Amino acid sequence: MATGKLYDYGSLPVTGDSGNRDSMSRLFSAFDREIMSLLRSDFQVAAQNCWVKKGDAYTGEISAERIVNLGIPWAILGHSERRVLLNESNEFVGGKVAYALSKGLKVIVCVGETLEQRESGATLEVVTAQTKAIAERISDWTNVVLAYEPVWAIGTGKVATPAQAQEVHSELRKWLQINVSVEVAESTRIIYGGSVNGANSKELAAQPDVDGFHVGVASSKPEFVDIINAATIKSCA
């Protein structure tokens, strides 16, 4: 289990084609004034995506450089919708992670299997292949958080059982230990996402290798407080 917790309240969808920092900043001025200035020091913002290399004429994308210039410290990469709907391969996601890190961003990178892959017994093969594509492209895991998000549980109301979540998290940590280093395995946070809510968060949080949550729909509901408070499960153990 990694030390500490990470709760992703919700991330910032950002788009834009060519333009300078001033023009982009105007787009975000309301956000900057009304939201960023009000955040507690232990709350941070993430972009939901960033491009795989230096910005150019890639309309609809946003570069890591722009995200950094806007003062946003995190990017979420490899979400299942990007992988499935936009055909982002493991290698492409790995490249995005490496480039984002090289520009000073911290990264939450999502891994997870489809229902068909789970039912065929391929879950661990899928998530380790996704992780391998990252490990082949980076050497420093300090600013990387892995988010296990079974595709079949995202926004469906279905959720991996605590035992299912723990199994995958444990195997991911073992993979890191064998293929990267013991230190990385122990320090890397592996968080769970997939229909987390106030009712199931305590039992999920009690699992030894679940280091926090990547929360979607529930982050906009009052029960999000209960999810955050689930962190006390381990601290009181």
Side-chain angles (χ1 to χ4, degrees), residues 32-77:
D32 290 338
R33 288 195 308 270
E34 303 298 329
I35 304 297
M36 301 233 356
S37 64
L38 299 177
L39 291 178
R40 284 172 18 183
S41 60
D42 55 343
F43 282 39
Q44 296 184 350
V45 176
Q48 285 185 331
N49 183 41
C50 75
W51 189 234
V52 70
K53 56 185 177 180
K54 186 174 181 179
D56 203 336
Y58 302 106
T59 302
E61 293 288 344
I62 184 167
S63 68
E65 290 85 352
R66 285 181 181 161
I67 297 171
V68 171
N69 284 342
L70 289 166
I72 297 171
W74 289 87
I76 301 172
L77 303 175

Side-chain angles (χ1 to χ4, degrees), residues 84-224:
V84 175
L85 299 179
L86 299 176
N87 297 314
E88 292 191 357
S89 67
N90 293 344
E91 293 72 24
F92 190 75
V93 173
K96 293 173 81 170
V97 172
Y99 189 76
L101 292 172
S102 75
K103 297 305 171 183
L105 286 170
K106 300 175 183 179
V107 173
I108 300 169
V109 57
C110 305
V111 300
E113 82 285 6
T114 64
L115 182 59
E116 181 181 5
Q117 290 166 334
R118 170 161 282 277
E119 291 179 340
S120 69
T123 294
L124 299 182
E125 178 184 350
V126 170
V127 297
T128 55
Q130 292 169 337
T131 307
K132 180 175 182 286
I134 300 163
E136 290 175 340
R137 290 162 175 80
I138 69 171
S139 58
D140 186 355
W141 286 74
T142 305
N143 292 321
V144 177
V145 172
L146 286 179
Y148 169 55
E149 296 198 311
V151 179
W152 50 271
I154 298 174
T156 63
K158 298 179 180 179
V159 62
T161 66
Q164 288 173 326
Q166 169 58 25
E167 178 189 23
V168 176
H169 283 228
S170 176
E171 290 300 322
L172 283 171
R173 207 174 299 283
K174 288 177 183 176
W175 190 93
L176 290 173
Q177 180 178 344
I178 294 169
N179 296 280
V180 183
S181 74
V182 172
E183 181 182 7
V184 166
E186 292 177 348
S187 62
T188 299
R189 282 183 276 189
I190 306 176
I191 62 178
Y192 173 78
S195 297
V196 177
N197 57 49
N200 60 35
S201 57
K202 286 186 178 180
E203 194 172 1
L204 285 164
Q207 303 308 305
D209 288 293
V210 174
D211 297 319
F213 300 117
H214 191 212
V215 186
V217 174
S219 67
S220 62
K221 299 179 179 180
E223 65 182 314
F224 186 57

